[in-house]
Amino acid sequence: MATEGGGKEMNEIKTQFTTREGLYKLLPHSEYSRPNRVPFNSQGSNPVRVSFVNLNDQSGNGDRLCFNVGRELYFYIYKGVRKAADLSKPIDKRIYKGTQPTCHDFNHLTATAESVSLLVGFSAGQVQLIDPIKKETSKLFNEENSCQHLGKMDWNEDSKTSEEALVIVQRLIDKSRVTCVKWVPGSESLFLVAHSSGNMYLYNVEHTCGTTAPHYQLLKQGESFAVHTCKSKSTRNPLLKWTVGEGALNEFAFSPDGKFLACVSQDGFLRVFNFDSVELHGTMKSYFGGLLCVCWSPDGKYIVAGGEDDLVTVWSFGDCRVIARGHGHKSWVSVVAFDPYTTSVEESDPMEFSGSDEDFQDLLHFGRDRANSTQSRLSKRNSTESRPVSVTYRFGSVGQDTQLCLWDLTEDILFPHQPLSRARTHTNVMNATSPPAGSTGNSVPTPGSAAPPPLPRSNSLPHAAVSSAGSKGSVADGAIAAGVSKFATLSLHDRKDRHHEKDHKRNHSMGHISSKSSDRLNLVTKTKTDPAKALGTPLCPRMEDVPLLEPLICKKIAHERLTVLIFLEDCIVTACQEGFICTWGRPGKVGSLSAPSQATPPGGTAV
């Protein structure tokens, strides 16, 4: 795939890059793909996706990898940076006829060395529950008859392949493509499915879908969303139907404690819900075009979204507002993810930390257990001149421009307690300060609780459900006060809107909103917010009204558009649409299998 011009250096695919932690190296021996290693012809195919699970077996090699390429689904032992990948021995390989897998997710709670539950969503709207270890297909959801599901042919032990033919019957729940499927955190049986129709459905694997189309009754309705329950004499799937915004619901993500749900849609809106109470917590609008991806910080305080405006946008959960944007991609951003293993916390005044030693160690290592990352308790600032802890969040993004970008979100963006000398950040960043002195270390920052007078927030819908989230393990703990990091990535160059669009060159996307996307923007259902008038408001600040992040690194690492970015403890995993899953060893984690010494300066890469 062609990329923006700029000579050989611009078009060269990088195999290593350097950050302040050291040298990251591509490990060719750890590349996973189809067994023949032939690049996949990706025209018209669904994005390649990757899912991981750890089976906690006694061998110490419990990591398992699942990925889809075209109409094929593979399940391998993932050896990471330790050993070379053996592509000749997949644990399970499935080839589907009549449909293609689009997304998948493991149930980490029930996974064992003998059995694992894997949900797979399909382009024709079905969701399949399979066990790739036992090579079983247990259920198919969103079909006319749950017994008439994908008919599995005989397992071929020589080729390690099973073929499944789709029984063509009417899909009674939703006929559109599955865009995202995830197990509900903490549940062994509940899962949530999003479709390109803009609907989400909550299922229970223990219930049937019924043989007739479901009838719904309204449970709750709000600004641009509605939730219905399934009306039937006996409990059946789906348990709930969510209708969110206008156009496709491209991705959703649960908060680290599972209490909140962030959704991004083709209408360009991020919507954050309290999952249990079905209440809208807050919204954000993209600069233009649809939003394609979303993720939470490990402590649940911030959300990053990316999409068709080529930007990464950082949104504060506590303040319900945009606190920064990042510009580095030249095309649509397809995946965003936080790196919990690089996010750093430094204590600058031990006397102001009110938590125990265990709490502070929890904070330093909150990435090692994302589900319990919010258990750390930090004292808040008592004034704008006292900052006990310095925090830097690391996140990454990949896009259709084939580039990987890494970003640092530093305390001068999170807590701009003093007005900067440039007009660029003025008062729009001032209400990111923590709540006044006297509030407890585990309280929930809510809109309007900051010390300075808050800006009007038409995108925030305060309600009782938010305040109830202040219990142990809540998503939004008190804001972490911080000291200035020398690795700040704030750029203070003024960029006018027209200058931004003039420099907006791309080879993999259009330089303007498509007419289809524009129509969606004007048809947001049940919303009081006119997207055309959102620019310049807290819902969608202008470019000059919020800090602009510049990437730490921005490297071309593939020939085709990138579709996967996953941060693991000893490596980073990326994948492109050609079907190659690549492992990048972290500094000091490569081991004996690395070819050159890490002391060798990187060739052809820039810091």
Side-chain angles (χ1 to χ4, degrees):
M1 180 177 289
T3 59
E4 182 179 349
K8 181 180 179 180
E9 177 68 20
M10 290 291 296
N11 293 296
E12 178 186 358
I13 294 180
K14 306 300 180 183
T15 58
Q16 56 188 24
F17 58 85
T18 303
T19 67
R20 67 171 183 269
E21 305 92 55
L23 180 66
Y24 289 78
K25 297 189 63 175
L26 178 65
L27 306 179
H29 63 273
S30 296
E31 180 181 272
Y32 290 78
S33 67
R34 296 190 299 170
N36 58 15
R37 294 188 182 272
V38 174
F40 176 69
N41 183 0
S42 60
Q43 295 296 328
S45 296
N46 292 284
V48 173
R49 301 295 187 195
V50 173
S51 297
F52 281 97
V53 67
N54 188 286
L55 304 182
N56 298 316
D57 62 3
Q58 301 300 321
S59 67
N61 191 21
D63 290 331
R64 300 294 183 267
L65 167 76
C66 174
F67 62 91
N68 61 287
V69 181
R71 61 190 186 99
E72 302 169 4
L73 188 73
Y74 292 90
F75 185 67
Y76 280 100
I77 295 176
Y78 180 70
K79 300 179 181 179
V81 301
R82 300 181 302 274
K83 297 181 180 179
D86 185 357
L87 300 183
S88 65
K89 297 179 180 180
I91 298 175
D92 195 5
K93 172 188 174 183
R94 297 176 182 235
I95 302 176
Y96 295 93
K97 297 180 179 180
T99 188
Q100 292 185 1
T102 59
C103 50
H104 31 83
D105 189 43
F106 288 106
N107 192 321
H108 297 264
L109 286 180
T110 61
T112 66
E114 294 76 30
S115 176
V116 63
S117 296
L118 176 67
L119 290 169
V120 184
F122 291 90
S123 57
Q126 307 91 339
V127 178
Q128 187 183 32
L129 177 63
I130 65 176
D131 188 332
I133 295 179
K134 294 181 178 180
K135 300 177 177 62
E136 293 178 353
T137 300
S138 57
K139 287 186 178 181
L140 187 73
F141 301 89
N142 192 22
E143 284 291 5
E144 182 178 34
N145 189 328
S146 59
C147 295
Q148 292 182 341
H149 55 256
L150 297 178
K152 182 175 178 181
M153 299 175 64
D154 293 335
W155 169 258
N156 188 322
E157 187 62 34
D158 294 330
S159 63
K160 302 290 183 182
T161 303
S162 61
E163 291 196 4
E164 307 196 36
L166 176 63
V167 179
I168 305 298
V169 292
Q170 182 182 8
R171 291 174 300 283
L172 299 177
I173 297 174
D174 199 302
K175 301 178 181 179
S176 63
R177 176 174 57 92
V178 176
T179 57
C180 187
V181 58
K182 292 183 186 295
W183 292 95
V184 174
S187 175
E188 296 183 359
S189 57
L190 297 177
F191 64 93
L192 193 62
V193 182
H195 289 259
S196 59
S197 62
N199 296 325
M200 285 190 301
Y201 302 90
L202 180 66
Y203 290 85
N204 188 323
V205 295
E206 298 175 357
H207 298 156
T208 63
C209 292
T211 57
T212 60
H215 296 280
Y216 300 102
Q217 60 183 10
L218 183 65
L219 174 66
K220 185 168 292 187
Q221 186 172 359
E223 186 176 343
S224 71
F225 80 96
V227 181
H228 294 79
T229 59
C230 191
K231 186 178 180 181
S232 63
K233 294 181 179 180
S234 59
T235 305
R236 58 162 289 182
N237 286 317
L239 304 179
L240 291 178
K241 174 186 177 182
W242 296 58
T243 301
V244 181
E246 178 70 18
L249 201 163
N250 291 321
E251 190 176 35
F252 62 82
F254 284 98
S255 61
D257 65 0
K259 294 181 179 180
F260 290 84
L261 182 70
C263 307
V264 289
S265 302
Q266 193 59 38
D267 61 9
F269 281 86
L270 161 72
R271 296 176 177 89
V272 182
F273 297 92
N274 184 307
F275 185 65
D276 291 331
S277 65
V278 198
E279 294 282 352
L280 183 63
H281 172 73
T283 62
M284 181 270 288
K285 173 68 176 63
S286 67
Y287 199 67
F288 65 81
L291 287 176
L292 306 177
C293 51
V294 64
C295 67
W296 291 80
S297 65
D299 57 3
K301 292 181 174 68
Y302 303 99
I303 296 174
V304 172
E308 296 176 359
D309 55 9
D310 303 356
L311 303 171
V312 293
T313 302
V314 184
W315 191 81
S316 168
F317 174 86
D319 288 336
C320 292
R321 66 182 184 86
V322 175
I323 62 171
R325 291 191 180 102
H327 182 260
H329 287 283
K330 302 177 182 65
S331 185
W332 295 356
V333 179
S334 52
V335 183
V336 288
F338 274 87
D339 181 357
Y341 306 100
T342 304
T343 295
S344 61
V345 177
E346 297 177 2
E347 189 177 12
S348 58
D349 188 353
M351 298 302 294
E352 294 203 11
F353 177 64
S354 62
S356 64
D357 291 340
E358 289 81 9
D359 290 333
F360 189 69
Q361 290 303 316
D362 285 341
L363 180 69
L364 291 175
H365 302 93
F366 63 72
R368 299 186 182 276
D369 189 351
R370 302 186 189 191
N372 298 321
S373 62
T374 59
Q375 61 185 318
S376 305
R377 295 293 179 259
L378 295 175
S379 63
K380 292 195 178 86
R381 285 180 295 155
N382 292 325
S383 70
T384 58
E385 298 178 357
S386 176
R387 300 186 177 190
V389 174
S390 174
V391 60
T392 299
Y393 294 87
R394 168 69 57 80
F395 67 93
S397 58
V398 295
Q400 295 191 16
D401 57 0
T402 72
Q403 293 194 111
L404 163 68
C405 292
L406 296 181
W407 315 79
D408 269 0
L409 184 60
T410 53
E411 69 80 35
D412 53 348
I413 302 296
L414 304 176
F415 307 105
H417 67 301
Q418 294 176 349
L420 299 180
S421 58
R422 288 86 166 176
R424 179 179 181 80
T425 53
H426 202 42
T427 57
N428 266 8
V429 298
M430 287 304 295
N431 52 330
T433 54
S434 60
S439 56
T440 59
N442 58 354
S443 62
V444 177
T446 55
S449 63
L455 293 171
R457 297 189 185 93
S458 60
N459 57 316
S460 174
L461 299 179
H463 49 77
V466 177
S467 60
S468 68
S471 58
K472 182 178 180 181
S474 65
V475 173
D477 300 318
I480 301 176
V484 177
S485 168
K486 64 180 179 179
F487 301 109
T489 55
L490 171 63
S491 171
L492 295 174
H493 299 292
D494 289 333
R495 299 189 184 189
K496 300 300 181 182
D497 293 343
R498 61 183 180 180
H499 177 69
H500 168 72
E501 298 200 5
K502 180 179 179 181
D503 290 343
H504 181 88
K505 298 179 180 179
R506 62 177 68 185
N507 291 281
H508 312 292
S509 63
M510 293 164 43
H512 58 280
I513 309 176
S514 66
S515 58
K516 188 174 183 181
S517 297
S518 180
D519 291 339
R520 288 195 180 103
L521 292 177
N522 296 323
L523 292 174
V524 179
T525 59
K526 302 184 184 69
T527 180
K528 299 177 182 179
T529 305
D530 183 357
K533 298 179 181 179
L535 184 62
T537 70
L539 189 67
C540 180
R542 295 185 182 276
M543 291 296 291
E544 62 268 21
D545 290 338
V546 294
L548 186 65
L549 302 176
E550 292 182 348
L552 296 176
I553 64 105
C554 191
K555 302 297 180 184
K556 175 181 171 64
I557 62 171
H559 289 290
E560 277 287 344
R561 64 186 185 272
L562 293 164
T563 58
V564 172
L565 175 62
I566 300 173
F567 291 97
L568 301 179
E569 186 172 1
D570 53 6
C571 61
I572 300 175
V573 176
T574 62
C576 70
Q577 195 56 21
E578 285 183 318
F580 296 115
I581 290 82
C582 298
T583 299
W584 301 77
R586 290 184 185 269
K589 298 291 186 178
V590 176
S592 59
L593 287 178
S594 60
S597 170
Q598 290 204 3
T600 305
T605 59
V607 179

